[in-house]
Each structure stands twice: as structure tokens, then as C-alpha cells.
Amino acid sequence: MTRTVRALILAALAPLAFAACVIETQEACVEECYYTEYCDAWGCYEEQICECVVYDAPYDEPECWDDRDCARGYACFDGWCEPYDPPAPQEPTAGLCDPCQRAADCAEPDALCIEINPQERVCGRACTSDAQCPRGFACLDVSQQVGVPDQCVPLPSAEGEDRTCRNTPEPEPEPEPEPEPTACQDDDQCEDAICIDGACAPPECSLPAECGDEDAFRCVGGRCMDACTRHADCDAGERCVQPGFCAPAR
């Protein structure tokens, strides 16, 4: 076979070889061609070889421009949608008179986000009367809607002026609950207190004058005791002891 005839045969078969490659893969591919030289008994020849190359592509991560192009649970990063777990929402922290954008920003129960002037939107506090609001605030129906609780809002500093939370006194802290009294049987079981009716309580007095009539009472061990000069001055079950007060008879 002459060199000319061999070249004609290869040129005729090249398009068929490439078409077979595309049909066989059934995937998008890129044709890549290169030249190679081989020799036989008749001489050396240069031959062009073309291949259909399929490149790996992240087909499960479609190209995107922003998060709206991605499915739920995915976000757009560098042109590709990738799984994304948004951070957990933070608990609201805005209290009375703190800035807010909506009621969900306010931490207190049933508090509303109120526009008290064109420049300020602040959190209120649910209330039923002025007594439930701190000094400098009033309990007002800000929504004019049935079922929506009234809110504590700051009072204007002067007639005709806007309400404002600027330079508003700090809300008074909630009073701490009083501790439960400690049970006792005598004063020795109480620290810096006396045992009254089975519970530790603050002393009734520290000076005789704190008991009232000094002729009728004595301040003894933090208690106001009936004064006496003889046993007959005391109630049943008591005796008159020094320095002149009625004590339980032993």
C-alpha cells in the first residue's frame, strides 16, 4: 500500500471514529486531537488521533449568582451551590426603652416595638396600670386594638415635646424576693436575729426607747418585754426577773 493511499484511508475514517466516540459515551465531551508518528516496512508516517474526553463536573452543585439560585439548604459560594446550615437565631435581648425594629426584638413577655417619635423605635413593657411602670413612664394603650396589652412608655419631659428614651432614668430593678424565714425553737438557732413564733426574725429593739413607754417595757435580748416590779405584774406562766421584766417561768 502506498503512502498516499494509506493517508486517504485514514482521512476518510477519522470523522467516523469521532462520531462513534460521542455516541458511545452519551455524555458531553470535548474533542482533543494530537499527532503521533509511527513507522512500518514502507516508511514512517504522521497520524492525527482525536479523542472525546469527558471531564468530571459537579453536576449536583449548579452554577449560581446568589443564594436565590440555590435550593433550600444550599447557599452560593464562589459560583456554586453548597450545603449551608444558617446559624441558630439569637434570643431577643432588648429591654424597656431599648432600640428595636419589631416586637420579636423585645425580650419581655408581650412587649411591643413602639415608635415614640420619628427617630426612635423602642421596646415597651406590658402593663395594666401606671403602678407597673418605672418612674418617668406611663401605661398607655398604644395599639388601640382589643386584646393587645397596654405598654409602659416614657413620659415627655415637657408639654408639647416628643417622648424619648434619651436621658430617661434607668428602669428601677425588680425587688428581690424576701428569703423564707428560718424555723427555730430558740434564739441560739438564729444568726443576728431572734426566734419569734417559731421563725427567725429581726430584733424588735436595740434601745429601750424603741419599745415605746420605758415604764411599761424593757428591751431585753432584742425583744420588748413587759416591765415589772413583782410576779403579780406578769401574765400567767411568767415570773418577774431582774432587771425588772416578765419572762417565762422555768
Side-chain angles (χ1 to χ4, degrees), residues 119-142:
Q119 287 77 40
E120 286 184 90
R121 290 180 62 86
V122 299
C123 291
R125 174 181 293 172
C127 59
T128 56
S129 67
D130 292 346
Q132 295 178 324
C133 300
R135 178 171 53 89
F137 290 76
C139 187
L140 301 178
D141 181 3
V142 297

Side-chain angles (χ1 to χ4, degrees), residues 13-35:
L13 293 177
L16 295 176
F18 176 67
C21 176
V22 174
I23 294 173
E24 182 181 352
T25 61
Q26 296 294 316
E27 296 186 59
C29 59
V30 177
E31 181 185 21
E32 290 190 356
C33 298
Y34 59 93
Y35 290 88

Side-chain angles (χ1 to χ4, degrees), residues 71-119:
R72 182 185 297 273
Y74 287 74
C76 191
F77 295 97
D78 298 328
W80 298 103
C81 291
E82 297 181 4
Y84 175 68
D85 291 327
Q90 297 183 348
E91 293 293 328
T93 58
L96 178 62
C97 237
D98 286 340
C100 60
Q101 294 297 323
R102 57 191 187 279
D105 298 332
C106 303
E108 298 190 28
D110 297 324
L112 301 179
C113 187
I114 308 163
E115 182 176 321
I116 56 175
N117 64 56
Q119 287 77 40

Side-chain angles (χ1 to χ4, degrees), residues 21-238:
C21 176
V22 174
I23 294 173
E24 182 181 352
T25 61
Q26 296 294 316
E27 296 186 59
C29 59
V30 177
E31 181 185 21
E32 290 190 356
C33 298
Y34 59 93
Y35 290 88
T36 185
E37 184 179 7
Y38 73 96
C39 299
D40 58 17
W42 293 277
C44 293
Y45 309 96
E46 189 177 71
E47 181 179 5
Q48 183 186 36
I49 298 177
C50 293
E51 296 179 350
C52 182
V53 180
V54 178
Y55 288 96
D56 293 333
Y59 294 109
D60 58 336
E61 298 174 346
E63 188 174 7
C64 58
W65 294 100
D66 57 38
D67 294 346
R68 291 174 296 180
D69 298 330
C70 300
R72 182 185 297 273
Y74 287 74
C76 191
F77 295 97
D78 298 328
W80 298 103
C81 291
E82 297 181 4
Y84 175 68
D85 291 327
Q90 297 183 348
E91 293 293 328
T93 58
L96 178 62
C97 237
D98 286 340
C100 60
Q101 294 297 323
R102 57 191 187 279
D105 298 332
C106 303
E108 298 190 28
D110 297 324
L112 301 179
C113 187
I114 308 163
E115 182 176 321
I116 56 175
N117 64 56
Q119 287 77 40
E120 286 184 90
R121 290 180 62 86
V122 299
C123 291
R125 174 181 293 172
C127 59
T128 56
S129 67
D130 292 346
Q132 295 178 324
C133 300
R135 178 171 53 89
F137 290 76
C139 187
L140 301 178
D141 181 3
V142 297
S143 69
Q144 305 295 319
Q145 297 180 18
V146 177
V148 178
D150 296 348
Q151 301 287 305
C152 295
V153 295
L155 293 169
S157 57
E159 186 176 353
E161 292 188 2
D162 288 336
R163 303 177 189 274
T164 179
C165 280
R166 301 187 181 99
N167 301 322
T168 300
E170 290 290 331
E172 297 175 359
E174 296 290 334
E176 294 185 4
E178 294 184 3
E180 292 291 329
T182 303
C184 61
Q185 294 180 347
D186 54 48
D187 292 350
D188 293 339
Q189 297 175 319
C190 301
E191 183 177 356
D192 298 327
I194 58 176
C195 189
I196 300 178
D197 297 330
C200 293
E204 296 176 328
C205 62
S206 58
L207 298 172
E210 295 175 352
C211 293
D213 187 352
E214 295 185 27
D215 294 331
F217 298 97
R218 299 281 188 271
C219 182
V220 181
R223 286 185 175 81
C224 291
M225 308 291 288
D226 292 332
C228 63
T229 57
R230 59 180 187 266
H231 297 318
D233 296 334
C234 300
D235 294 335
E238 295 181 336

